[in-house]
């Protein structure tokens, strides 16, 4: 009976016969067997009496101590009861489950087959069944009864297959893996012990078949494990299965075939991630075994995986590509030599994706420090080196990534290949291709990415790696000087700084140097300290390079100071960090690029003063001179090279050497190009700072060559050279250079050489020039600089009067030449700047000349250009430059007036210069006049001159309408002028003024509303009229008349507002001025704008009539004189016309004078609204 139950249980395990009988048997079963301890405890469990865990413990003890076998009925009931607790998903505590598991282990001592059958049925079962304790119990069984478990291995494998399909992760997965590994370890030990196999041949084959199926079921179903514990458990189980399968040769072949079967789906499906995960698990487990995969099978697997990796037809995800790469790495761990040889063979293939993939895998292997890879690395490096000339951007990039991996792990393998040099050559190659300009947008982007990769590789090097310092130093110095490696200075500086911190920048014996460096030293140009310093100075002084490159150059100078000169170390350690702070923006006083360049040149000069070695400094000047000659004229670095060479020549002591270099570049420079001309000026001016006499002598010599033969007999070819455009441009540059040299001269040098040598050379060059725009501008600018320099030395009283007169005459002739009839030119604007400086030199010019000069300046600066020309200028590309120059000239004109005010005893020029432009119809001219007037009034206020008070009335009359000018800037300037005028008048009369009120009204003038502007200007008129000097009344009214004659629109209405406000406030106090005022009013009636002004005119007549009736009526009753006759005598009322206008029945007797004025006003005023 017991055997039959066991057989039924085994059938149930394999799924042949459904087991329903015992599952439905849950009630107490009577048995004729005598009662024993086990029976009593079983009855307690079935009756749910007491503590179940305690009952199980007692039952376990009873089963272990009782030597008799429990009856079959009791065993069946016991198995049913224990199984219910063991597999319960909930409602049963862990203590109860553990105790129930222990009961099954104890029961297996006498009924092993029944217990095993019961547990196998639970493994096979589906639904809501907990299998955790079932697996634990199986583990306990194997630990206790291993020999009895061996015959049931094939059933165990079949049961575990169902668990694999149902469990994906967690505790049960780990327990299942542990149980599987435990059982298979036992099987392996059993087979290796030499004991006769307990299975029949058919059953043994079944075991291997089940094991094969379980292996690939585990690999496929448990490949997505995320927890590290789950992964390790799965790998242990797979390794255990492989160890069993690979013990016999007949099954090894099947394992390799199934390994290939895992690879083949990669070729058929798009997403290979899951397949790669399965293969990874298999390979990781295989790596833990001692079995050796056959070479042909290994190559098949490697080829299949590698093909998937570089197959461009499949869009691998990042995870899939990473899994495939990991598979190759695992294969390299299993068979390193075969893998490396296979990948190396792919480098010689013409198939680009395969070559790129092989390079990536070889780099990963180099980074992994595999022993076999370390041994074969020189051979691999040699193979990779053959790809250096490959034109493909993908291969070039892959080679660089391989170098990056190589340098991060093993520098000893780089002895046969100059990998550092290859990085720089690739950077230069990419730079050249991009500079050629024949690449597509995509190709240019790829080349840019390759440049970034080169910089990243060098910048990420770890100098602490063994052999890295020998590899880098001093080889890096070779790549500092060539211009094509400029972009690499940033990572080079980082490497050098790191080496300096490790004190690796020391000298080495020749046999200890990198052989590639030694080879390059004999092949390339000699690397001298001057060559290196010149290169770094050029980069540091070129703003186009960017602040990061500039900082890198300074850092290299700081860390390599010992390579330049022994004397500069302490100074550079202090000064270079200050320059770096400027670049990093930490110095708030650092304004712009020009200021940094000035500081850098100052640093260079201080360094040369510290060195004080003639030969060293001359060698540096030769190096800079050579770089200057070879630089393109349009390059950004050439401008700095001129200044740097000039600074170095200024520190040189050899006169002949200085002259040689100056003459060389004067002859080489093409002054037709503005950058070249400015470069020559910078070179000469910087060199003159410490070698003034040498530079001036060289300038005189070269200027004489350019002017030699103008009146002599010379060859035709020589004459053509002297008359060429380049020669004239060179003369202009030399004129400007003389002015710049004058600014650098000391007082003694300037007083000794300005009049004769410097100004004489300038005039000589100008006399030989073609006197075009460029020559004229150069002359004017050089005169400005010479005047400024002479004035700066503080001895301007000694200037030659005849020379000053000659210079003034030249400037005035230029001003007349470029008068308003000529096209718009910057020459008049520059002339004003020159006249400002020249007029400050003593002795002063004659008053007549000053007046003529001032009038001419105002005509060119204030009245010109016209409104139409201004519109054209504002639309041109040079608009900003011209307008800025115009504003500078206006300020200079104001300063020129200041000089004339200091020398001119009377202010008669005030009216002649300012008044006419203020009533111009050109809005730009009015604005410029207001700017000039504002400066002039400001100076009068500062000097406490009474000129403005003499013209108070006329100035107010002119400024008042401009408070409503269409241009907002003009309105603001008008208010500024009125404020200055009020302060001057208040100081002159010693009265108080409400200046704050005037300032607060400025906001109202900015309004777009005309009504608001008129209201604001009326309030301003009341403030001004409070301190108006009545003796200036006629001047005020005359200026108003001029405005009415030439103005229109709102300005006319503003003039009327100011006039009526003045008459309302002071009409009673101006009786002696009534006749001229009436005369002015009667003259206004003849203007075309009288219709706009007529309401204010009538109001003025009413005000005057009320205050001075007799005078007004007397004036209206007399006819106008011949000088003031009008074609439209609107306000003239003769007695006869008045009498004829009366209706019949009305007395023809004229009314009294009061009535006449009233009637006159009544006749006119109803037509208008005030």
């Amino acid at each position: 009976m017991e055997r039959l139950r066991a057989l039924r249980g085994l059938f149930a395990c394999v799924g042949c016969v459904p087991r329903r009988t015992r599952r439905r048997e849950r009630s107490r079963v009577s048995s004729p067997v005598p009662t024993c301890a086990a029976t009593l405890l079983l009855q307690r469990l079935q009756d749910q009496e007491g503590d179940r865990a305690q009952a199980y413990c007692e039952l376990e003890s009873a089963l272990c101590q009782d030597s008799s076998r429990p009856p079959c009925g009791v065993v069946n009931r016991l198995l049913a009861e224990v199984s219910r607790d063991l597999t319960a998903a909930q409602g049963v505590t862990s203590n109860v489950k553990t105790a129930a598991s222990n009961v099954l282990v104890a029961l297996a001592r006498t009924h092993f087959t029944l217990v095993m059958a019961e547990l196998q049925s639970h493994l096979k079962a589906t639904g809501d069944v907990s299998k955790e304790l079932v697996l634990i119990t199986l583990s306990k069984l194997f630990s206790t009864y291993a020999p009895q478990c061996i015959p049931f291995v094939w059933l165990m494998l079949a049961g575990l297959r169902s668990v694999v399909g149902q469990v994906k992760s967690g505790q049960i997965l780990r327990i299942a893996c542990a149980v599987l590994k435990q059982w298979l370890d036992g099987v392996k030990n059993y087979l290796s012990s030499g004991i006769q196999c307990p299975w029949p041949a058919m059953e043994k084959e079944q075991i291997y078949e089940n094991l094969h199926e379980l292996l690939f079921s585990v690999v496929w179903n448990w490949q997505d494990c995320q927890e590290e514990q789950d992964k390790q458990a799965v790998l242990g189980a797979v390794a255990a299965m492989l160890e069993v399968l690979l013990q016999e040769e007949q099954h090894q072949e099947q394992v390799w075939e199934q390994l290939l079967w895992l690879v083949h789906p990669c070729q058929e499906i798009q997403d290979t991630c899951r397949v790669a995960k399965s293969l990874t698990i298999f390979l990781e487990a295989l790596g833990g075994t001692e079995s050796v995969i056959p070479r042909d099978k290994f190559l098949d697997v490697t080829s299949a995986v590698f093909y998937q990796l570089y197959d461009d037809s499949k869009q691998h995800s990042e995870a899939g590509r990473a899994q495939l790469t990991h598979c190759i790495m695992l294969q390299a761990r299993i068979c390193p030599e075969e893998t490396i040889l296979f990948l190396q063979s792919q480098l010689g293939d013409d198939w680009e994706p395969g070559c790129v993939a092989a390079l990536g895998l070889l780099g990963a292997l180099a980074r992994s420090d595999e022993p076999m890879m370390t041994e074969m690395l020189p051979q691999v490096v040699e193979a990779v080196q053959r790809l250096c000339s490959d034109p493909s951007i993908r291969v070039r990039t892959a080679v660089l990534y391989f170098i990056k991996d190589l340098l991060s792990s093993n520098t000893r393998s780089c002895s046969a290949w100059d990998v550092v040099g290859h990085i720089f050559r690739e950077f230069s190659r990419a730079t050249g291709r991009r500079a050629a300009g024949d690449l597509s947008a995509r190709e240019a982007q790829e080349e840019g990415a390759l440049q970034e990769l080169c910089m990243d590789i060098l910048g990420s090097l770890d100098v602490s790696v063994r052999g890295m310092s020998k590899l880098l130093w001093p080889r890096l110095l070779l790549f500092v000087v060539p211009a094509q490696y400029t972009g690499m200075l940033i990572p080079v500086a980082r490497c050098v700084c790191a080496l300096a911190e490790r004190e690796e920048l020391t000298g080495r014996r020749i046999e200890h140097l990198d052989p590639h460096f030694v080879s390059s030293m004999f092949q390339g140009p000699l690397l001298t300290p001057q060559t290196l310093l010149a290169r770094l100075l050029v980069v540091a002084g070129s703003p186009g390079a960017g602040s990061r490159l500039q900082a890198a150059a300074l850092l290299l100078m700081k860390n390599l100071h010992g390579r330049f000169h022994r004397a500069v170390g302490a100074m550079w350690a202090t000064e270079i960090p200050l320059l770096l702070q400027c670049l990093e923006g930490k110095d708030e006083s650092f304004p712009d690029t020009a200021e940094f360049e000035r500081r850098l040149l100052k640093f260079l000069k201080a360094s040369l003063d510290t060195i004080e070695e003639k030969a060293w400094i001359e060698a540096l000047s030769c190096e800079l001179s050579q770089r200057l000659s070879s630089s393109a004229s349009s390059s950004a670095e050439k401008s700095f090279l001129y200044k740097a060479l000039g600074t170095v020549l200024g520190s040189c002591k050899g006169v002949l050497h200085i002259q040689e270099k100056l003459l060389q570049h004067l002859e080489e420079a093409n002054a037709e190009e503005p950058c070249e001309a400015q470069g020559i000026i910078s070179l000469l001016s910087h060199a003159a700072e410490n070698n003034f006499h040498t530079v001036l002598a060289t300038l005189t010599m070269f200027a004489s060559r350019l002017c030699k033969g103008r009146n002599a007999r010379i060859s035709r070819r020589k004459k053509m050279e002297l008359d060429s455009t380049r020669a004239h441009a060179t003369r202009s540059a030399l004129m400007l250079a003389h002015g710049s040299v004058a600014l650098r001269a000391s007082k003694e040098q300037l007083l000794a050489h300005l009049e004769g040598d410097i100004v004489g050379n300038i005039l000589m060059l100008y006399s030989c020039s073609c006197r075009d725009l460029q020559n004229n501008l150069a002359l004017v600018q050089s005169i400005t600089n010479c005047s400024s320099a002479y004035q700066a030395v503080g001895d301007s009283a000694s200037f030659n009067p005849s020379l000053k007169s000659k210079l003034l005459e030249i400037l005035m002739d230029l001003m007349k030449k470029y008068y308003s009839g000529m096209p718009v030119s910057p020459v008049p604007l520059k002339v004003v700047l020159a006249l400002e400086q020249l007029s400050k030199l003593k002795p002063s010019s004659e008053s007549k000349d000053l007046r003529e000069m001032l009038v001419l300046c105002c005509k060119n600066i204030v009245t010109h250009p016209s409104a139409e020309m201004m519109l054209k200028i504002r639309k041109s590309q040079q608009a900003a430059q011209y307008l800025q120059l115009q504003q500078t000239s206006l300020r200079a004109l104001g300063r020129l007036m200041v000089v004339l005010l200091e020398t001119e005893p009377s202010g008669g020029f005030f009216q002649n210069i300012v008044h006419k432009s203020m009533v111009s119809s050109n809005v730009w001219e009015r604005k410029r006049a207001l700017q000039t007037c504002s400066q002039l009034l400001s100076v009068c206020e500062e000097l406490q001159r009474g000129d403005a008070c003499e013209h108070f009335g006329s100035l107010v009359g002119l400024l008042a309408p401009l408070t409503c000018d269409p241009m907002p800037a003009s309105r603001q300037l008008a208010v500024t002028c009125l404020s200055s005028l009020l302060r001057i008048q208040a100081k002159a009369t010693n009265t108080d003024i409400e200046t704050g009120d005037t300032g607060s009204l400025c906001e109202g003038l900015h309004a777009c509303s005309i009504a608001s502007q008129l209201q604001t200007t009326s309030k301003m008129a009341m403030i001004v009229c409070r301190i108006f000097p009545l003796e200036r009344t006629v001047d005020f009214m005359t200026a108003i008349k001029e405005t009415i004659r030439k103005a229109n629109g709102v300005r006319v209405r503003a003039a009327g507002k100011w006039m009526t406000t003045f008459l309302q406030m002071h009409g009673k106090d101006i009786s002696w001025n009534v006749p001229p005022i009436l005369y002015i009013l009667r003259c206004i009636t003849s203007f075309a704008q009288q219709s706009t002004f007529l309401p204010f005119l009538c109001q003025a007549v009413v005000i005057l009539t009320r205050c001075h009736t007799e005078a007004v009526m007397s004036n209206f009753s007399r006819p106008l004189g011949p000088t003031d006759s009008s074609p439209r005598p609107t306000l003239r009322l003769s007695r006869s016309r008045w009498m004829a206008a009366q209706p019949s029945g009305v007395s023809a007797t004229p009314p009294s004078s009061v009535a006449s004025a009233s009637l006159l006003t009544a006749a006119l005023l109803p037509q208008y609204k005030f």
Side-chain angles (χ1 to χ4, degrees), residues 286-306:
L286 188 62
T289 65
E290 298 179 357
S291 301
V292 179
I293 185 171
R295 181 180 177 84
D296 57 338
K297 304 297 182 184
F298 176 81
L299 291 177
D300 288 343
V301 174
T302 304
S303 300
V305 176
F306 184 77

Side-chain angles (χ1 to χ4, degrees), residues 516-569:
H516 300 290
F517 169 71
V518 177
S519 176
S520 300
M521 284 295 294
F522 288 105
Q523 293 177 3
L526 184 64
L527 183 62
T528 64
Q530 292 83 2
T531 304
L532 189 60
L533 180 58
R535 173 61 180 155
L536 294 177
L537 280 173
V538 168
V539 176
S542 300
S547 60
R548 291 183 62 199
L549 270 176
Q550 290 176 287
L554 291 174
L555 283 173
L556 283 171
M557 292 170 61
K558 178 176 179 291
N559 288 292
L560 300 176
H561 62 85
R563 298 281 165 176
F564 298 108
H565 199 278
R566 60 184 179 279
V568 298

Side-chain angles (χ1 to χ4, degrees), residues 87 227 264 272 589 674 743 772 798 952 998 1048 1087:
T87 59
E227 296 291 335
H264 289 313
T272 59
S589 63
L743 292 172
D772 59 359
S798 63
F952 186 90
T998 305
N1048 53 32
F1087 300 157

Side-chain angles (χ1 to χ4, degrees), residues 16 19 157 191 326 408 482 541 552 627 636 674 754 758 834 885 913 1000 1111:
C16 298
R19 183 171 181 174
L157 296 176
L191 293 175
H326 187 52
S408 66
R627 284 187 168 274
L754 179 65
I758 298 178
L885 179 60
I913 295 172
S1000 63

